């Protein structure tokens, strides 16, 4: 006998509905999911404002953690985040945890000032002044070289001035401490350096005019240098697009228009200027110079988050300065910000290779290729790409070079966006093959090339690179020729590829196969597209074949190009070496 299932009570139904509601993401969750898929500062601003208005610490954490994961070291967000936990002493521990998390790598003067304000607020007891003094020293060791740290220096000086001194010895200690801080500050291009110098001058003269003259004379060259550098620094910083301290600012990816090119040019000029040590800091104070440049580069990668060149400059400088851990951190962070950057991925793979961590390097290449493959698929949907076998227009000047081989960088032919993306995609395979050859030998390189051959979008440059690698690394001219021949099946309509193949055969003196290749393909193209092939083969004939062959070649050319211009130009190539001889 069938038994009816008991119907849930009203209370149970309400409980189920409540459970279902709590399992559903709220509006902030949905907005965060959307914001993580795009770059929309206004959307992030809306998310944080909603979290702020809610007064819910969990929502605040959720919103700001998501924002700071996407845009690390955004000081305005860090300050707002911490501030939520300072209205109630029971949450001061949360605020201190965030300070510890954010301050370690932060170059933000505003965040450090916020930290000092907090320290002065909560510090009490007999050791209060010593704790505050150490906090100022700690802050200045991180941001004291920043032009905008002027207020921190001024506050520190005022803090020392107001310190108690009940004995002559304590008064002397206080004056010595004040002198040391003044002397440090007036050698830095701070925004208030002139006022600080005037204060220091008054301070020394108030103590002893005779000793003041000596102290001021010793420091005057450094002060004059700092004042001069401040003027140059202000000029540099004015063009870097730095946000105001109270501005909700998130960097956006560049579109590489004129404004973006100008901005990155200014940043690169500024960073190179800083590296030249305009303050002329001596070798004995090298640690001071390193601290200064660390802060400069940390600020640079925050503002220019989506410009891989700036990350690479930061990595390069950190490596030269012996900051290897920070250099690697810069590369990893740069890759997180720019996962599709060839520069970042290749640099990181090279670093891992130099560390003999070949598995990590291999994973970098595999992950990068997977990302590029996904982008290729998306591009395929949005564009109508040329097939891989027809991505050359045959009108380039690659055949007019004296060298048999021409690097990828020498090509500057106008191509579709998709065709250009294909070439870049192929470069990732080429770099992967080179790494495999260096680290594990020819078998590993061939395995990578095997994957490339099965890839629908691999360009002909990968075949050329694989062939040349076989020839130069393994002396396998036969294998190299087979690779070129294999590529010909796929790129038979690409004159650029055929020119490279022809040039290779000529370079290894395989003239019979070179001639056979030329005769096999030359009739497959219209005269205008075939011009580059005639040029390349003609240059060989004129330079190394006999006179009869050269004359026959000219006759054939005259038949293909009856206007005569092309024939005359080829004929002139035969006598090009004699043009300077009387």
């Amino acid at each position: 006998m069938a038994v009816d299932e008991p119907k849930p009570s009203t209370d149970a139904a309400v409980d189920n509905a409540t459970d279902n509601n709590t399992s559903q993401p709220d509006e902030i969750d949905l907005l965060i999911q959307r914001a993580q898929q795009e770059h929309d500062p206004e959307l992030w601003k809306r998310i944080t404002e909603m979290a702020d208005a809610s007064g819910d610490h969990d929502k605040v954490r959720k919103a700001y953690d998501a924002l700071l994961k996407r845009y690390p070291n955004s000081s305005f967000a860090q300050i707002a985040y911490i501030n939520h936990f300072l209205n109630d002493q029971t949450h001061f521990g949360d605020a201190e945890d965030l300070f510890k998390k954010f301050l370690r790598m932060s170059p933000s003067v505003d965040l450090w000032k916020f930290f000092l304000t907090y320290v002065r607020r909560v510090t009490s007891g007999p050791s209060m002044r010593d704790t505050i003094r150490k906090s100022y020293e700690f802050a200045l060791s991180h941001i004291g070289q920043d032009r905008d740290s002027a207020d921190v220096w001024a506050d520190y000086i005022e803090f020392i001035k107001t310190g108690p001194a009940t004995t002559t010895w304590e008064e002397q200690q206080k004056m010595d401490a004040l002198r040391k801080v003044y002397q440090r500050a007036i050698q830095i291009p701070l925004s208030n350096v002139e006022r600080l110098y005037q204060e220091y001058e008054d301070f020394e003269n108030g103590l002893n005019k005779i000793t003041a003259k000596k102290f001021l004379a010793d420091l005057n060259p450094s002060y004059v240098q700092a004042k001069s550098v401040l003027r140059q620094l202000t000029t540099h910083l004015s063009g870097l697009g730095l946000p105001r301290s109270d501005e909700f600012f998130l960097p956006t990816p560049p579109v590489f228009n004129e404004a973006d090119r100008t901005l990155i040019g200014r940043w690169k000029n500024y960073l190179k200027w800083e590296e030249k040590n305009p303050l002329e800091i001596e070798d004995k104070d090298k640690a001071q110079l390193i601290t200064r440049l660390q802060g400069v580069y940390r600020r640079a990668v925050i503002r220019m988050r989506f410009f891989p060149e700036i990350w690479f400059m930061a990595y390069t400088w950190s490596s030269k300065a012996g900051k290897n851990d920070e250099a690697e951190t810069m590369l990893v962070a740069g890759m997180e910000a720019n996962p599709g950057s060839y520069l970042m991925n290749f640099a990181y793979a090279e670093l891992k290779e130099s560390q003999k961590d070949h598995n990590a390097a291999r994973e970098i290449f595999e992950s990068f290729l997977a990302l590029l493959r996904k982008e290729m698929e998306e591009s395929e949907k949005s564009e109508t790409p040329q097939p891989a076998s027809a991505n050359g227009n045959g009108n380039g000047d690659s055949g007019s070079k004296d060298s048999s081989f021409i690097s990828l960088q020498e090509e500057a032919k106008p191509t579709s966006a998709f065709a250009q993306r294909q070439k870049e995609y192929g470069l990732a395979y080429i770099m992967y093959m080179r790494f495999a050859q260096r680290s594990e030998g020819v078998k590993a390189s061939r395995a990578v090339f095997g994957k490339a051959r099965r890839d629908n979008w691999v360009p002909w440059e990968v075949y050329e690179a694989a062939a040349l690698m076989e020839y130069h690394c393994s002396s396998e001219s036969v294998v190299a020729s087979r690779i070129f021949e294999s590529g010909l099946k796929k790129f038979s309509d690409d004159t650029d590829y055929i020119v490279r193949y022809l040039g290779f055969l000529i370079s290894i003196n395989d003239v019979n196969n070179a001639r056979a290749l030329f005769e096999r393909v030359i009739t497959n193209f219209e005269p205008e597209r075939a011009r580059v092939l005639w040029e390349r083969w003609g240059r060989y004939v004129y330079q190394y074949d006999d006179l009869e062959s050269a004359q026959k070649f000219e006759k054939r050319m005259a038949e293909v190009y009856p206007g005569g211009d092309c024939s005359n130009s080829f004929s002139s190539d035969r006598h090009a070496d004699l043009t300077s001889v009387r």
Side-chain angles (χ1 to χ4, degrees):
M1 182 177 67
V3 179
D4 293 335
E5 293 183 5
K7 296 181 180 179
S9 67
T10 304
D11 290 341
V14 171
D15 290 341
N16 288 336
T18 303
D19 291 341
N20 289 336
N21 287 337
T22 56
S23 65
Q24 295 296 319
D26 61 18
E27 186 177 2
I28 289 179
D29 288 319
L30 295 173
L31 290 176
I32 288 174
Q33 291 174 17
R34 177 180 150 198
Q36 289 171 337
Q37 303 302 317
E38 54 191 74
H39 296 278
D40 187 347
E42 288 302 316
L43 181 56
W44 281 110
K45 185 176 183 180
R46 179 184 170 192
I47 291 168
T48 54
E49 287 176 347
M50 289 176 63
D52 294 342
S54 73
D56 185 329
H57 288 313
D58 289 336
K59 290 184 178 180
V60 168
R61 286 191 180 93
K62 189 185 301 179
Y64 281 98
D65 283 343
L67 186 152
L68 290 168
K69 183 178 181 181
R70 189 70 181 272
Y71 303 94
N73 293 314
S74 296
S75 59
F76 73 89
Q78 292 172 331
I79 292 170
Y81 190 3
I82 295 171
N83 201 42
H84 274 283
F85 300 102
L86 296 182
N87 297 322
D88 184 348
Q89 288 189 359
T90 60
H91 289 289
F92 278 11
D94 295 318
E96 290 177 8
D97 288 341
L98 291 175
F99 273 126
K100 291 175 184 176
K101 179 180 178 181
F102 297 150
L103 287 174
R104 186 172 60 88
M105 294 292 290
S106 177
S108 169
V109 173
D110 292 322
L111 181 60
W112 282 97
K113 287 167 68 175
F114 190 62
F115 164 70
L116 291 171
T117 300
Y118 171 75
V119 170
R120 298 188 71 160
R121 173 183 173 183
V122 300
T123 305
S124 60
S127 61
M128 176 186 73
R129 290 193 63 83
D130 189 53
T131 300
I132 294 174
R133 180 190 63 79
K134 288 179 179 177
S135 297
Y136 270 109
E137 288 291 343
F138 182 54
L140 290 171
S141 70
H142 285 79
I143 48 89
Q145 291 289 324
D146 193 303
R147 179 194 66 166
D148 297 329
S149 67
D151 289 344
V152 179
W153 284 101
D155 288 347
Y156 188 25
I157 289 170
E158 190 62 29
F159 170 75
I160 296 173
K161 283 182 180 179
T162 57
T166 57
T167 66
T168 303
W169 181 83
E170 288 178 346
E171 184 66 27
Q172 186 61 49
Q173 290 292 104
K174 178 179 172 180
M175 294 302 104
D176 288 344
L178 199 53
R179 176 180 291 115
K180 288 179 181 178
V181 175
Y182 267 126
Q183 289 179 348
R184 287 161 59 193
I186 62 177
Q187 298 181 70
I188 301 170
L190 302 170
S191 59
N192 64 349
V193 67
E194 293 186 52
R195 180 168 64 82
L196 288 177
Y197 183 80
Q198 186 61 54
E199 287 182 12
Y200 176 57
E201 189 175 34
D202 295 341
F203 165 75
E204 291 290 4
N205 283 321
L207 293 177
N208 187 316
K209 290 189 177 182
I210 296 175
T211 57
K213 188 174 182 180
K214 179 182 182 304
F215 282 129
L216 293 171
D218 290 344
L219 283 170
N220 191 63
S222 296
Y223 161 66
V224 171
Q225 183 72 11
K227 193 166 63 169
S228 173
V229 169
L230 175 62
R231 288 192 291 269
Q232 300 174 58
L233 178 62
T234 301
T235 300
H236 277 291
L237 296 182
S238 64
L240 300 184
L242 296 171
R244 301 188 314 273
S245 60
D246 60 344
E247 182 180 358
F248 187 101
F249 176 84
L250 297 175
T252 55
V255 295
F256 296 107
N257 55 16
E258 187 61 31
D260 285 335
R261 289 192 291 271
T262 299
L263 181 62
I264 194 169
R266 288 173 177 171
W267 269 101
K268 290 167 75 173
N269 288 337
Y270 165 59
L271 294 171
K272 290 175 183 176
W273 175 77
E274 285 281 10
E275 285 192 24
K276 290 178 182 177
N277 187 16
L279 283 170
E280 299 179 4
I281 298 172
E282 298 178 1
D283 287 343
K284 64 183 179 67
D285 299 318
K286 187 176 180 180
Q288 180 181 334
L289 176 62
I290 289 175
T291 298
R292 178 177 181 83
L293 283 166
Q294 262 185 325
V296 166
Y297 271 110
R298 287 176 181 178
R299 287 191 296 277
V301 296
I302 293 172
R303 172 60 183 87
M304 303 294 281
R305 178 167 176 75
F306 301 109
F307 289 80
E309 289 172 84
I310 301 300
W311 286 100
F312 186 73
M313 288 181 71
Y315 159 69
T316 302
W317 174 81
S318 299
S319 296
K320 289 179 180 177
K323 298 286 184 178
N324 295 328
D325 290 342
E326 177 149 351
E328 184 164 351
T329 298
M330 283 288 184
L331 269 186
V332 173
M335 283 179 60
E336 290 175 355
N338 304 276
S341 167
Y342 287 77
L343 179 61
M344 290 287 96
N345 279 275
F346 292 164
Y348 192 36
E350 186 176 280
L351 176 64
K352 286 302 175 184
E353 183 183 355
S354 69
Q355 296 172 347
K356 306 300 181 184
D357 192 349
H358 295 155
N359 288 334
R362 192 180 302 106
E363 288 174 6
I364 292 167
F365 280 113
E366 290 288 352
S367 299
F368 187 44
L369 281 166
L371 175 65
L372 295 178
R373 202 171 293 117
K374 182 178 179 181
E375 291 179 353
M376 292 289 290
E377 291 170 357
E378 292 173 355
S379 295
E380 182 184 7
K381 295 175 184 177
S382 61
E383 299 183 37
T384 305
Q386 301 172 0
S389 60
N391 61 1
N393 57 19
N395 295 328
D397 61 356
S398 58
S400 63
K401 304 288 185 182
D402 287 339
S403 171
S404 297
F405 311 118
I406 305 170
S407 68
L408 295 177
Q409 288 78 7
E410 287 177 317
E411 290 194 335
K413 303 181 182 68
T415 61
S416 71
F418 189 87
Q420 182 59 36
R421 190 181 290 272
Q422 272 186 275
K423 289 183 180 294
E424 294 168 354
Y425 181 51
L427 181 59
Y429 266 117
I430 292 170
M431 296 298 285
Y432 192 7
M433 287 192 298
R434 290 174 182 170
F435 155 73
Q437 171 69 40
R438 291 191 302 265
S439 62
E440 299 177 70
V442 66
K443 287 186 178 180
S445 176
R446 287 173 179 172
V448 175
F449 177 58
K451 291 181 181 179
R453 288 182 62 185
R454 295 189 294 272
D455 194 309
N456 291 333
W457 296 114
V458 71
W460 61 259
E461 286 88 348
V462 175
Y463 281 78
E464 181 195 31
L468 296 182
M469 201 173 296
E470 290 286 350
Y471 178 69
H472 290 289
C473 298
S474 305
S475 300
E476 290 283 2
S477 59
V478 175
V479 175
S481 297
R482 287 175 182 170
I483 292 174
F484 268 117
E485 191 64 28
S486 174
L488 189 62
K489 297 175 183 177
K490 189 174 183 180
F491 306 106
S492 60
D493 192 42
D494 194 318
T495 55
D496 286 345
Y497 177 72
I498 297 171
V499 165
R500 304 300 177 91
Y501 185 9
L502 186 61
F504 170 74
L505 292 173
I506 291 171
S507 72
I508 64 173
N509 207 29
D510 190 353
V511 179
N512 290 334
N513 279 323
R515 181 178 286 106
L517 173 64
F518 175 76
E519 297 297 345
R520 182 163 33 126
V521 301
I522 196 63
T523 57
N524 296 338
F525 299 96
E526 295 295 325
E528 193 56 37
R529 289 196 65 203
R531 185 186 298 271
V532 67
L533 298 173
W534 285 102
E535 286 180 355
R536 184 64 190 93
W537 181 242
R539 192 164 69 253
Y540 169 78
V541 171
Y542 289 140
Q543 290 177 347
Y544 305 113
D545 221 334
D546 56 45
L547 179 61
E548 183 179 357
S549 297
Q551 290 173 337
K552 287 181 179 179
F553 182 81
E554 285 185 1
K555 184 178 180 181
R556 288 183 66 186
M557 284 293 301
E559 294 173 355
V560 176
Y561 301 97
D565 293 340
C566 194
S567 179
N568 290 337
S569 67
F570 282 116
S571 182
S572 65
D573 284 347
R574 182 150 51 105
H575 306 292
D577 294 338
L578 305 178
T579 55
S580 61
V581 180
R582 295 177 60 185

